[in-house]
Amino acid sequence: TRYGTVTEVQTCALPISIEEKVSWSVDPVIDDATALMEKGQLGEAGAILQAYVERHPDSIDANSVLGQVYWRQNQVPAYQEVITRLCSLHLKARATDAAWQDYEDFLNSGGEKLPAATWFDICRIAEEKQKFDRAAAEYERLASTYPAERQSVLALLAAGRLCLRKLNRAQDALRFYEAAARSPVPHLDCEPDIQLGIRAAKAALAAPVAAAT
């Protein structure tokens, strides 16, 4: 993670200096809060940044520094809330590497689930990075965590596609496609893709048998 493990919160040094992270900031309020944090005045820095974020919730700079304040204070739930918001902001800014790092930091802090839409975009980043096993696992976790959300159907379809086309796991692909077909979430528009996936997975499973005979 960028900040080390939770147990190292009080002592570890940040590998990325705060000055580097906010060097582009034009708002002196963030710079003042950063200076206070570096002096160990975490309460004052946090109060300034909390007020700033209330007025400017989409500020990547302010949320980034506020997250680090919470991390140094070992306020893990507050940190996770900020890092989740930061991940969404990075996604909106199309800063995919930063968003992926946010998610890794979120997990390393003990976080378990992002909002469904944000999590789905993170899964797509894993695909873009060609982390196909990881992407399939993330899609599966998303689908099981949010079974009543539309993203669950899309995640099952994506997991099935990856297992079938990239991972040579036809049995898992069939399982995902069939789970999508059974989903209580309305998915009529996805039904053609689901049925196509089921047929393709069954064909892949039958191919070794046909070759053997």
Side-chain angles (χ1 to χ4, degrees):
T1 96
R2 281 174 292 195
Y3 314 136
T5 63
V6 173
T7 56
E8 296 171 330
V9 169
Q10 303 299 332
T11 59
C12 70
L14 300 179
I16 300 176
S17 73
I18 305 303
E19 289 78 5
E20 288 177 346
K21 292 180 71 61
V22 299
S23 60
W24 58 86
S25 174
V26 296
D27 197 322
V29 173
I30 299 174
D31 291 331
D32 290 344
T34 300
L36 287 170
M37 182 181 68
E38 291 294 351
K39 293 176 182 177
Q41 297 172 253
L42 302 180
E44 294 179 39
I48 291 171
L49 291 165
Q50 287 166 7
Y52 188 94
V53 168
E54 286 181 6
R55 297 192 305 272
H56 308 283
D58 293 340
S59 170
I60 289 177
D61 295 345
N63 279 286
S64 179
V65 180
L66 180 59
Q68 293 178 55
V69 169
Y70 285 145
W71 185 258
R72 291 187 177 197
Q73 292 177 316
N74 204 17
Q75 295 190 37
V76 176
Y79 167 78
Q80 290 172 348
E81 180 181 346
V82 171
I83 205 71
T84 297
R85 183 165 61 244
L86 191 59
C87 183
S88 177
L89 292 173
H90 279 139
L91 287 169
K92 289 178 182 177
R94 299 186 179 181
T96 55
D97 286 343
W100 179 259
Q101 185 61 58
D102 292 333
Y103 181 54
E104 293 282 36
D105 291 344
F106 174 78
L107 293 178
N108 288 331
S109 73
E112 296 182 355
K113 62 180 183 180
L114 294 177
T118 303
W119 201 349
F120 189 81
D121 287 341
I122 289 295
C123 294
R124 294 174 65 180
I125 292 174
E127 276 200 70
E128 292 171 4
K129 292 178 174 292
Q130 299 188 5
K131 300 176 181 286
F132 299 125
D133 276 307
R134 175 72 180 277
E138 293 289 346
Y139 279 128
E140 183 175 15
R141 287 207 310 121
L142 167 57
S144 64
T145 302
Y146 294 103
E149 299 290 337
R150 177 170 172 78
Q151 283 86 359
S152 67
V153 177
L154 300 178
L156 289 167
L157 277 169
R161 171 176 47 77
L162 286 176
C163 286
L164 189 62
R165 298 181 183 178
K166 299 294 185 181
L167 299 172
N168 195 29
R169 290 162 44 190
Q171 189 65 58
D172 285 333
L174 181 60
R175 175 169 61 87
F176 289 130
Y177 284 125
E178 289 181 337
R182 295 191 303 269
S183 172
V185 178
H187 57 267
L188 187 62
D189 58 322
C190 297
E191 195 61 30
D193 289 335
I194 292 172
Q195 294 305 318
L196 182 63
I198 289 173
R199 290 195 296 272
K202 288 182 175 179
L205 287 169
V209 176
T213 58

